[in-house]
Amino acid sequence: MSNFQIRKVAVLGAGVMGAQIAAHLVNANVQTILFDLPAKAGEPNGIVNKALDGLKKLDPAPLASPAKAQYIAAANYEQHLEKLRDCDLIIEAIAERVDWKSDLYHKVAPFLNDHAIFATNTSGLSINTLAQAFPESLRHRFCGIHFFNPPRYMHLVELIPCAGTDAPLLDQLETFLVATLGKGVVRGLDTPNFIANRVGVFSMLATVHHAQAQGLGFDIVDALTGRYLGRPKSATFRTLDVVGLDVFAHVVKTMQDNLADDPWHSYFKQPDWMSKLIEQGALGQKVKRGVYQKVGKEIQVLDLATGAYRVSDGKANDAVKDILRERDWAVKLGKLRESSDHQAQFVWSIFRDTFHYCALQLEHIANNARDLDLAVRWGFGWDSGPFEIWQAAGWQQVSGWIAADILAGKTMSQAPLPAWVTEAARTGVHTAQGSYSPRPLAGEGQGVRAAGGNQARSTLPVYARQLYPDALLGEVRSFGETVFENAAVRMWHTGDNIAVLSFKTKMHTVDNDVLDGVLRAVDEAEAHFSALVLWQTELPFCAGANLLQLMQGVQEPAADAGMFGKLKGAVSRVKYTVAGGGGMGDLFNAATGNVPKVEAVVAKFQQVSQRLKYALVPTIAAVDGLALGGGCEFSIHCTRIVATLESYIGLVEVGVGLLPAGGGCKEMAQRAAAEAKGGDIFPHLKRYFQNIAMGEVAKSAEMAREMGYLRASDRIVLNRFELLHIAKAEAAALTATAYRPPLHQAQIPVAGRTGIATFKASMLNMREGGFISEHDYQIGCRVAETMCGGDVETGSIVDEDWLLDLERKHFMELLATDKTQARIEFMLKNGKPLRN
């Protein structure tokens, strides 16, 4: 079917997953209908309407903006099945019961059009078994589509065909999932729990087993199995609480019932303590009690010895911490294995048994090692997949250790390693040519090749948009040809006449060398290229200005821990962030004895922003992750912003007692004036002022557009690996129209002293009510004076330089205050704001 387009999607089932899948569909501007049973009383669509209301209350938010909820149409199976005829994709997401799914399939099948794809969002039931309940004439359009929870944030979708699924249909669906919904697709085999859950759940079961064997408490296990191992901070048992103990038990039961021949089958059972918690209704985070519970501000953990909850205070032993901090996997695993510390033996054991399991099951659950590693990374939030870690630690060495432990009876299963693992020439499973596959694979025009070769990445056209896909250990990656490079930045190109500038500083913060680098890059782009794209080779885009380096010219920041909110692999969201990344040290000398130098650097920052805005070639900010403070200021001055949906954008300088002085206040005031179109400026200025004065961060690119950081002409990208491709396409489109920069605006009307007085009155009420401190009030007053154009009549005309001068003036005066310096120092020491 050529040029097949998915225009409308129906989701069957308004439970936790169904409603959130529907939410992510409208995040991607896909017309969506959400179905469920009719309510027994009242509004027939009451079940769906309740689910839609619930979407707005969930944290992390399933909707990129609360306003998106209105675009999900509510429907029920009794009144609205005719609506299915207009749908190109139907996703079934009801409870994991084969009989219930079968009944629903029989009910809806007569209403499907002749090209619709029907997919079940099962987490582990057999696709072929479910297909038997589907009309035989339609089975070629049936498959599995397994989203991970929460669907907005989790990158992985497993795509599983049944025996009769049309191959072109899978290609069409994969293209839609990758480009439209922004997902990482892995083709799974029809085996219980597919790939990610099969490996991830086994790893958790191994952790449970070895924790019990070593007598380790839940909180100690979590202290050992989180970020130290490159896994989410929620580690093991906190993750179980988030997932839900009942959900985890269901997945384990699927393995227990359907994997009788698995050498590890005896471990596929929920432990007694988990059964007891489930019986008590202590299912985890959704009921506020599971392995952990929160009492007031105190986090408590279940103590197996007493059966009661106690304060959670488990820690890794110091010697084990030192081992876990090792960056070299060979050293880390070697020391863990050799150590006599029971915590170290525990960690080595869970790695060893997970490696063992993956090696033996690879041919049964995945097409190749790449799919297994990416499924675990994308589905469980690991920084590296099991095979990547094994390969990084030395394939032959680790293989020998595993084999020795099998012989010594230390492993959970005595099954020998498969022959391919111990091949003398093997150095790993990921190479520049592809990843190892133990399965016979169909080659293009070559029939079926023998098992045991490397399989390259998919050649579906949609992947041509991923110029730099998620990398695996062993793959060769080259970021173009260098134009110039120094310690702070690198400018490069790939031969297409579009230059790319990437920062090299930690968290891509802006220091004096970065400022110089951007200025040089704009000059180079104007002289030799058609456009300039600011794009980072890894997250984030830019976490703000490194004020210590900007003020004192230091080469490396003294400290940067705790300066920024963290984006997590499993749940990407900002808790609290501030600009000013990097240690700032003692600012007293910088703010008093070194004022001319500080002000000169602030002026240079403004110069860079203006240079990006008025460059003779288009400048594109390709934003992914954090774009805070100075990073936001760079972005809003570029010709276009192309931002991933999961971009967190804001002018947050008030968090350290300052105001945006890299053109941020100026640009927002200028936008407000343009929106007013000669009318009253104040209503338009108000939202920009509130954003800056409150340090508001947009928690998605959609919200950034609503807050005014993104313009109507800026683009939102769902798949972060397509970001550079789309940024380049946007640059090319601008160039094709004989791009000219905007004209310098010499006449900007401002709100003046009346606007300042109105803002001050509002803030005075907040101060008197105890909502803001005296220093908050003083900062807000300076933001108001800057954005309103200073002490001038309402409607007075100023230019950009006037507003930039006001920015610098108020920035420097705030920096000289004791309370701003205290805020900066407190943020450095504690990683959270001081409201003094």
Side-chain angles (χ1 to χ4, degrees):
M1 194 181 303
S2 61
N3 204 32
F4 176 70
Q5 297 287 333
I6 293 176
R7 296 175 175 83
K8 184 184 289 188
V9 178
V11 179
L12 310 183
V16 173
M17 283 300 292
Q20 292 197 60
I21 290 169
H24 192 60
L25 286 162
V26 295
N27 286 341
N29 292 331
V30 177
Q31 195 172 353
T32 303
I33 309 172
L34 181 60
F35 278 83
D36 211 302
L37 295 166
K40 294 180 180 179
E43 162 62 42
N45 292 332
I47 293 175
V48 174
N49 289 334
K50 183 178 179 181
L52 295 179
D53 288 340
L55 288 175
K56 301 173 186 176
K57 302 171 186 176
L58 290 177
D59 184 22
L63 294 160
S65 163
K68 287 284 188 179
Q70 66 184 302
Y71 298 108
I72 303 175
N76 66 77
Y77 302 129
E78 294 300 324
Q79 297 177 307
H80 305 122
L81 288 181
E82 283 289 338
K83 294 178 182 289
L84 292 174
R85 298 190 191 279
D86 296 329
C87 296
D88 306 302
L89 171 63
I90 297 90
I91 300 173
E92 171 267 303
I94 68 171
E96 293 283 78
R97 288 268 303 264
V98 173
D99 54 341
W100 291 1
K101 291 178 186 286
S102 299
D103 290 344
L104 182 60
Y105 296 170
H106 287 299
K107 177 177 284 191
V108 303
F111 298 92
L112 305 183
N113 64 51
D114 60 5
H115 68 266
I117 301 171
F118 193 100
T120 174
N121 182 57
T122 178
S123 62
L125 297 179
S126 169
I127 303 303
N128 283 296
T129 298
L130 291 174
Q132 296 306 308
F134 212 63
E136 187 174 357
S137 61
L138 301 179
R139 286 178 198 165
H140 64 288
R141 293 190 267 130
F142 182 83
C143 66
I145 181 174
H146 181 208
F147 288 84
F148 274 65
N149 190 23
R152 170 183 164 186
Y153 301 96
M154 299 306 290
H155 190 58
L156 177 65
V157 172
E158 292 174 314
L159 194 57
I160 311 99
C162 68
T165 307
D166 283 346
L169 174 146
L170 288 174
D171 291 347
Q172 292 158 359
L173 189 50
E174 182 167 352
T175 297
F176 170 77
L177 291 167
V178 171
T180 303
L181 298 191
K183 295 304 175 186
V185 173
V186 170
R187 299 276 184 109
L189 305 179
D190 189 21
T191 57
N193 292 338
F194 314 128
I195 303 174
N197 273 344
R198 183 77 171 270
V199 175
V201 169
F202 174 82
S203 177
M204 286 187 166
L205 290 172
T207 302
V208 169
H209 168 74
H210 289 297
Q212 184 174 350
Q214 297 289 350
L216 300 179
F218 297 129
D219 50 347
I220 292 177
V221 170
D222 281 350
L224 292 166
T225 59
R227 291 309 302 155
Y228 281 130
L229 304 187
R231 300 179 188 180
K233 188 177 180 180
S234 55
T236 301
F237 294 107
R238 289 184 188 277
T239 296
L240 285 180
D241 273 355
V242 172
V243 169
L245 300 185
D246 54 335
V247 174
F248 179 76
H250 170 78
V251 177
V252 172
K253 186 71 163 55
T254 300
M255 296 171 72
Q256 185 180 51
D257 292 346
N258 296 283
L259 294 170
D261 295 333
D262 191 304
W264 286 265
H265 181 263
S266 62
Y267 299 97
F268 298 164
K269 58 186 178 183
Q270 63 190 54
D272 291 341
W273 60 263
M274 186 179 294
S275 300
K276 290 178 182 177
L277 286 175
I278 293 172
E279 288 171 9
Q280 296 167 11
L283 305 179
Q285 186 171 284
K286 57 191 171 187
V287 297
K288 304 188 186 307
R289 186 164 77 92
V291 176
Y292 292 89
Q293 66 176 7
K294 189 173 183 181
V295 179
K297 294 184 178 181
E298 187 176 84
I299 303 298
Q300 298 181 347
V301 63
L302 181 66
D303 189 318
L304 288 181
T306 65
Y309 287 89
R310 60 168 173 79
V311 174
S312 174
D313 57 2
K315 293 180 174 62
N317 294 337
D318 289 341
V320 178
K321 279 185 188 177
D322 290 340
I323 297 173
L324 295 178
R325 290 190 181 107
E326 288 280 358
R327 294 185 178 272
D328 186 319
W329 277 107
V331 175
K332 181 183 292 188
L333 294 186
K335 287 184 176 181
L336 288 170
R337 185 171 186 269
E338 293 166 5
S339 174
S340 59
D341 189 296
H342 66 300
Q343 291 187 5
Q345 281 299 307
F346 160 75
V347 177
W348 160 247
S349 296
I350 62 175
F351 273 117
R352 176 200 62 211
D353 286 314
T354 301
F355 293 159
H356 188 190
Y357 190 80
C358 291
L360 202 70
Q361 298 297 346
L362 176 60
E363 66 177 301
H364 305 295
I365 66 175
N367 286 317
N368 55 64
R370 175 181 56 253
D371 286 353
L372 189 148
D373 273 349
L374 290 180
V376 174
R377 280 169 48 174
W378 295 342
F380 280 79
W382 293 20
D383 291 350
S384 302
F387 286 130
E388 286 185 287
I389 297 170
W390 185 346
Q391 182 170 329
W395 188 270
Q396 292 293 339
Q397 176 171 260
V398 174
S399 300
W401 290 340
I402 298 170
D405 281 7
I406 293 172
L407 287 174
K410 296 181 179 180
T411 52
M412 293 168 66
S413 167
Q414 300 307 299
L417 288 168
W420 66 265
V421 170
T422 56
E423 292 169 350
R426 181 164 300 283
T427 58
V429 292
H430 302 304
T431 71
Q433 292 72 44
S435 295
Y436 177 77
S437 172
R439 298 171 54 80
L441 296 171
E444 296 180 8
Q446 300 173 5
V448 177
R449 70 151 173 80
N454 290 324
Q455 185 180 5
R457 287 181 181 261
S458 171
T459 57
L460 272 180
V462 69
Y463 291 110
R465 298 162 59 88
Q466 297 188 12
L467 305 183
Y468 298 99
D470 205 353
L472 285 162
L473 180 73
E475 293 183 319
V476 177
R477 173 156 295 187
S478 173
F479 292 102
E481 182 179 335
T482 300
V483 178
F484 75 87
E485 182 174 13
N486 56 38
V489 302
R490 177 175 178 256
M491 184 179 185
W492 51 282
H493 69 92
T494 56
D496 56 6
N497 208 34
I498 296 174
V500 180
L501 185 70
S502 302
F503 300 172
K504 297 168 62 178
T505 50
K506 187 170 184 179
M507 296 289 284
H508 304 134
T509 52
V510 181
D511 60 17
N512 198 37
D513 290 337
V514 169
L515 294 177
D516 289 336
V518 177
L519 289 173
R520 179 177 172 185
V522 175
D523 289 342
E524 291 278 358
E526 288 179 334
H528 305 294
F529 296 91
S530 62
L532 175 64
V533 176
L534 304 186
W535 177 81
Q536 314 298 2
T537 58
E538 59 186 14
L539 287 168
F541 174 74
C542 176
N546 185 322
L547 295 183
L548 177 61
Q549 292 190 353
L550 292 178
M551 290 184 232
Q552 298 178 330
V554 177
Q555 285 301 311
E556 292 292 336
D560 20 57
M563 285 302 296
F564 314 106
K566 305 295 185 182
L567 288 180
K568 296 304 181 185
V571 183
S572 301
R573 59 196 173 109
V574 167
K575 294 180 179 178
Y576 189 88
T577 46
V578 309
M584 300 174 196
D586 182 358
L587 297 179
F588 292 89
N589 289 335
T592 55
N594 205 14
V595 168
K597 180 180 178 182
V598 176
E599 187 164 7
V601 175
V602 176
K604 186 191 288 187
F605 207 123
Q606 295 177 334
Q607 178 192 0
V608 171
S609 295
Q610 293 294 86
R611 194 77 177 87
L612 288 167
K613 182 174 183 176
Y614 293 110
L616 296 176
V617 297
T619 56
I620 313 294
V623 174
D624 187 19
L626 304 179
L628 303 176
C632 178
E633 288 175 302
F634 277 2
S635 301
I636 61 179
H637 283 86
C638 285
T639 313
R640 290 284 187 277
I641 298 174
V642 178
T644 61
L645 183 70
E646 301 309 324
S647 292
Y648 301 78
I649 302 173
L651 296 169
V652 293
E653 285 82 353
V654 296
V656 286
L658 297 168
L659 56 71
C665 292
K666 177 271 303 178
E667 189 66 17
M668 296 297 100
Q670 197 169 358
R671 290 187 185 186
E675 291 167 10
K677 297 178 180 177
D680 185 4
I681 300 166
F682 190 80
H684 301 277
L685 187 64
K686 183 178 179 181
R687 68 163 175 162
Y688 294 119
F689 169 79
Q690 289 175 336
N691 291 342
I692 294 174
M694 300 301 293
E696 292 288 345
V697 175
K699 294 183 175 66
S700 73
E702 285 286 355
M703 292 185 69
R705 196 190 298 282
E706 293 173 6
M707 293 169 66
Y709 291 126
L710 265 63
R711 300 151 293 194
S713 58
D714 293 326
R715 309 297 180 201
I716 297 176
V717 179
L718 271 289
N719 196 315
R720 64 179 299 258
F721 298 107
E722 295 184 352
L723 180 62
L724 182 57
H725 167 82
I726 295 171
K728 285 189 169 190
E730 191 70 16
L734 288 164
T735 301
T737 60
Y739 174 78
R740 295 291 301 174
L743 297 173
H744 286 264
Q745 192 172 352
Q747 298 192 351
I748 305 169
V750 294
R753 60 177 68 97
T754 301
I756 296 170
T758 305
F759 283 135
K760 284 185 175 180
S762 176
M763 289 186 292
L764 187 62
N765 289 334
M766 293 181 69
R767 188 188 68 183
E768 296 301 317
F771 296 105
I772 62 174
S773 69
E774 173 62 29
H775 196 51
D776 290 328
Y777 174 76
Q778 294 298 330
I779 297 167
C781 288
R782 291 182 182 278
V783 173
E785 290 175 21
T786 302
M787 298 186 73
C788 292
D791 186 17
V792 297
E793 292 291 336
T794 298
S796 294
I797 302 299
V798 302
D799 60 14
E800 287 182 284
D801 287 339
W802 176 273
L803 295 173
L804 291 172
D805 289 345
L806 285 171
E807 280 187 355
R808 286 198 312 280
K809 171 181 180 292
H810 290 297
F811 180 93
M812 295 304 301
E813 290 176 357
L814 282 170
L815 186 59
T817 65
D818 291 343
K819 288 187 176 181
T820 284
Q821 292 167 9
R823 286 192 178 195
I824 293 169
E825 292 186 8
F826 186 87
M827 176 62 73
L828 283 169
K829 292 176 183 177
N830 301 283
K832 57 184 179 181
L834 172 67
R835 291 301 181 196
N836 54 352

